[in-house]
């Protein structure tokens, strides 16, 4: 008679334990990076949400509303010529500021004018209690390393500004704002004065007219806007 033990081979318990352990470790390895990335993404969304709630950084959006576009489009050649007198004159006119902001967007450097406007709003703070939250928002948005809209500042200016964030005063951003102002004045402003949209304003031309020229097919305003930057609101 055969040995009954030979009919039923002993169970390999160590192998089953190894498989179970492998499954647990595999699931853990998969879950940990996923949870970490999910947590990091959530923190980024929360931080961005807080920034977007700040009213001072929506000024450029307000300038782009239909009512303001109408005002910009009705600029006379005489008014446009005055913008060429000085950079300060351009920024002091609401329509000029709007036109220059649109130009910087075509060059993907609108963070400079947005920072300048944020600093102007900061200096209008009526109480010392308003300074700290505004200062930290400006710093986190425009100045810290890898900020979402980081502006180009020299090392010394960035260091001095960073050191004064915890105890901000009304002049905390003056050095940084002046640096960005000079950058725009010497670099972007001359190109703006040579741009077609500005020259059209000076000559009293409607920048939207080229969209209505006759072509071999029906040519619409939307077709024109798809080919060139949209300056029809000027």
């Amino acid at each position: 008679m055969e040995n009954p033990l030979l009919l039923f081979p002993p169970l390999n318990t160590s192998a089953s334990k190894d498989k179970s352990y492998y499954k647990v470790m595999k699931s853990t390895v998969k879950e940990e990076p996923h949870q970490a990335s999910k947590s990091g993404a959530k923190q980024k969304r929360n931080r961005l949400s807080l920034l977007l709630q700040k009213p001072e950084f929506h000024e450029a959006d307000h300038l782009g509303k239909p009512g303001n576009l109408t005002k910009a489009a009705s600029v006379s050649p005489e008014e446009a010529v005055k913008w060429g007198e000085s950079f300060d004159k351009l920024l002091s006119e609401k329509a000029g500021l709007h036109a220059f902001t649109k130009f910087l967007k075509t060059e993907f450097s609108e963070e400079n004018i947005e920072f300048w406007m944020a600093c102007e709003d900061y200096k209008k703070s009526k109480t010392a209690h308003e300074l700290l939250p505004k200062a930290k928002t400006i710093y986190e948005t425009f100045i810290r390393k890898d900020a979402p809209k980081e502006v180009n500042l020299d090392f010394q200016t960035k260091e001095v500004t960073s050191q004064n964030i915890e105890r901000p005063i009304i002049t905390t951003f003056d050095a940084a704002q002046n640096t960005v102002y000079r950058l725009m004045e010497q670099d972007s402003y001359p190109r703006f004065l040579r741009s077609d949209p500005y020259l059209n304003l000076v000559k009293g031309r409607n920048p939207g007219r080229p969209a209505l020229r006759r072509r071999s097919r029906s040519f619409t305003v939307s077709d024109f806007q798809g080919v060139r930057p949209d300056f029809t609101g000027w």
Side-chain angles (χ1 to χ4, degrees):
M1 182 175 180
E2 295 183 359
N3 189 340
L5 296 177
L6 297 178
L7 298 175
F8 300 95
L11 295 176
N12 189 351
T13 55
S14 61
S16 62
K17 287 181 179 179
D18 290 343
K19 290 182 179 179
S20 300
Y21 176 78
Y22 174 74
K23 289 181 179 179
V24 171
M25 290 301 297
K26 187 176 181 181
S27 62
T28 303
V29 171
K30 285 185 176 180
E31 290 174 2
E32 286 181 354
H34 175 70
Q35 291 174 352
S37 61
K38 187 175 182 181
S39 176
K42 184 176 181 181
Q43 290 178 357
K44 288 182 180 179
R45 286 196 300 270
N46 291 339
R47 194 181 304 122
L48 180 60
S49 177
L50 289 174
L51 290 174
L52 292 176
Q53 291 174 13
K54 299 294 180 180
E56 58 266 28
F57 300 121
H58 292 277
E59 185 171 353
D61 294 336
H62 296 329
L63 290 171
K65 289 184 177 180
N68 291 317
L69 288 176
T70 302
K71 293 179 182 178
S74 62
V75 173
S76 67
E78 291 76 19
E79 290 177 289
V81 168
K82 290 181 180 179
W83 298 350
E85 295 176 1
S86 69
F87 187 47
D88 185 63
K89 180 67 176 178
L90 172 69
L91 298 187
S92 66
E93 300 286 340
K94 191 171 184 179
L97 177 61
H98 174 53
F100 185 63
T101 300
K102 292 190 71 175
F103 171 75
L104 290 185
K105 286 183 178 180
T106 67
E107 295 196 332
F108 304 100
S109 59
E110 66 270 21
E111 71 276 359
N112 291 323
I113 194 64
E114 290 179 7
F115 172 67
W116 182 86
M117 289 191 292
C119 291
E120 288 294 290
D121 176 79
Y122 174 82
K123 290 187 290 188
K124 294 176 183 177
S125 301
K126 297 180 180 179
T127 65
H129 183 70
E130 296 179 40
L131 295 180
L132 183 58
K134 284 187 176 182
K136 288 192 172 182
T137 301
I138 292 174
Y139 177 79
E140 289 294 324
T141 306
F142 298 103
I143 296 180
R144 70 169 174 82
K145 184 179 179 181
D146 298 325
K149 297 184 179 182
E150 185 178 6
V151 293
N152 187 13
L153 298 173
D154 59 273
F155 177 79
Q156 184 178 0
T157 301
K158 179 173 286 192
E159 278 295 300
V160 171
T161 305
S162 300
Q163 292 170 6
N164 294 329
I165 289 301
E166 294 301 324
R167 292 185 178 180
I169 57 177
I170 204 70
T171 59
T172 291
F173 295 102
D174 281 5
Q177 186 183 19
N178 289 337
T179 298
V180 172
Y181 179 94
R182 288 195 301 272
L183 177 65
M184 292 190 293
E185 182 180 33
Q186 297 171 9
D187 186 45
S188 303
Y189 177 55
R191 287 200 302 276
F192 169 76
L193 296 180
R194 296 193 298 267
S195 67
D196 288 340
Y198 174 72
L199 294 176
N200 283 333
L201 284 177
V202 171
K203 296 173 183 177
R205 295 175 182 172
N206 182 357
R209 281 179 193 167
L212 302 178
R213 291 176 183 171
R214 290 186 177 276
R215 304 285 183 181
S216 58
R217 63 178 181 84
S218 177
F219 197 71
T220 64
V221 173
S222 59
D223 289 335
F224 176 73
Q225 291 176 345
V227 175
R228 299 181 57 189
D230 180 15
F231 295 112
T232 56
W234 288 27

